[in-house]
Amino acid sequence: MNRKIIVPKTYDGRFDIQISEDKQSGVEIVKLPKRAFNEIADRVLKIEEQGFKKPERWDSESYEDGIKAFREVYNLPFARSFGAYAEGSRNPEDLLGYTIVMPVEIAREQFVNDDGTPSDEFHRVSKRNEDKNKYVWTFDVDKSFQKQGIGTQIMDRVVEEARRDGAHSLYFNFRVKPRDRFAGRKCNPPLAVIDNYADTGVTYFLQRMRI
């Protein structure tokens, strides 16, 4: 069942459906194909800009580097991306939230120091069932649409797909503070505290969510 969202007056996206500022519309969660990258890349960077400091963003060095970094993760083997759109629209400007999820074993290959050792405490992520358990690389909702259940709806889709693959756990790196709950679901206590995650100067918390 689709939840309802309220379109804020500050939103400047272009809905393909007719809607007034004080009306409501449903949200659709869709799997984003690899070929959709060029359509959504700019929109994703704009959403990220709202919630992350410069050192943490894809485009921390430049817009071009941001697109390149995002593309590399988006196209990782077995990585899946999901987007939340206003119901009836597939306009990239109407992308309200997104996530990228991948098997733990694929993520593990990315968290490696120059000397080959695991980076950012990723060795604390269990290797058990790592071909099926998932790592959530990024997860964000447009600031104008937060606290309306969109993140929960995205997470429900992620969990549904992960369970279908045989996963029992999702792993996250949460910024600034640990989470007891995220997107409507309970999180385990942190596996590790990372004081300088990915050389950003920001503290992150590596956590597990049982599904």
Side-chain angles (χ1 to χ4, degrees):
M1 178 182 297
N2 285 332
R3 294 179 180 269
K4 297 296 183 180
I5 61 168
I6 299 173
V7 181
K9 294 181 179 180
T10 56
Y11 182 60
D12 60 0
R14 299 185 300 275
F15 285 94
D16 286 344
I17 55 178
Q18 297 299 313
I19 185 168
S20 60
E21 292 176 347
D22 60 346
K23 298 295 183 181
Q24 294 181 329
S25 174
V27 174
E28 294 178 300
I29 310 302
V30 301
K31 186 181 295 185
L32 299 170
K34 299 295 186 184
R35 65 178 181 274
F37 178 84
N38 290 335
E39 298 175 7
I40 68 167
D42 184 67
R43 173 64 177 148
V44 166
L45 264 60
K46 287 179 180 177
I47 293 175
E48 187 184 57
E49 186 176 350
Q50 301 170 2
F52 292 87
K53 296 180 180 179
K54 188 73 169 179
E56 303 172 82
R57 300 196 322 242
W58 299 105
D59 62 350
S60 59
E61 297 295 330
S62 69
Y63 177 83
E64 291 74 18
D65 287 341
I67 293 293
K68 180 181 178 181
F70 178 32
R71 187 190 301 274
E72 288 175 355
V73 175
Y74 190 87
N75 286 326
L76 283 172
F78 305 107
R80 294 177 185 168
S81 300
F82 300 93
Y85 285 90
E87 186 176 17
S89 174
R90 290 298 181 271
N91 189 320
E93 291 301 315
D94 297 331
L95 181 68
L96 309 180
Y98 67 94
T99 187
I100 301 177
V101 183
M102 65 193 67
V104 164
E105 64 178 354
I106 298 298
R108 194 182 303 279
E109 295 173 0
Q110 316 310 311
F111 285 91
V112 179
N113 292 313
D114 291 339
D115 62 2
T117 59
S119 69
D120 297 302
E121 302 290 333
F122 208 82
H123 62 282
R124 297 183 183 274
V125 176
S126 174
K127 291 187 176 182
R128 184 178 180 180
N129 207 39
E130 71 170 355
D131 61 326
K132 296 181 174 63
N133 287 337
K134 310 298 182 186
Y135 177 74
V136 180
W137 189 281
T138 186
F139 191 109
D140 207 357
V141 174
D142 186 301
K143 190 174 181 179
S144 298
F145 290 92
Q146 292 178 6
K147 301 186 184 301
Q148 297 193 49
I150 295 174
T152 298
Q153 204 168 344
I154 296 173
M155 184 58 67
D156 287 348
R157 179 64 183 274
V158 168
V159 169
E160 177 187 347
E161 297 262 348
R163 285 175 174 167
R164 189 177 298 145
D165 289 344
H168 303 297
S169 300
L170 302 178
Y171 293 88
F172 303 78
N173 274 305
F174 293 118
R175 60 194 298 273
V176 182
K177 63 181 181 180
R179 305 293 184 94
D180 295 325
R181 300 184 67 82
F182 180 71
R185 295 177 182 271
K186 183 178 179 180
C187 299
N188 288 9
L191 296 168
V193 179
I194 308 162
D195 291 328
N196 183 27
Y197 175 76
D199 296 324
T200 61
V202 180
T203 298
Y204 275 63
F205 297 82
L206 178 60
Q207 292 185 243
R208 177 188 182 190
M209 177 189 289
R210 293 180 182 272
I211 61 170

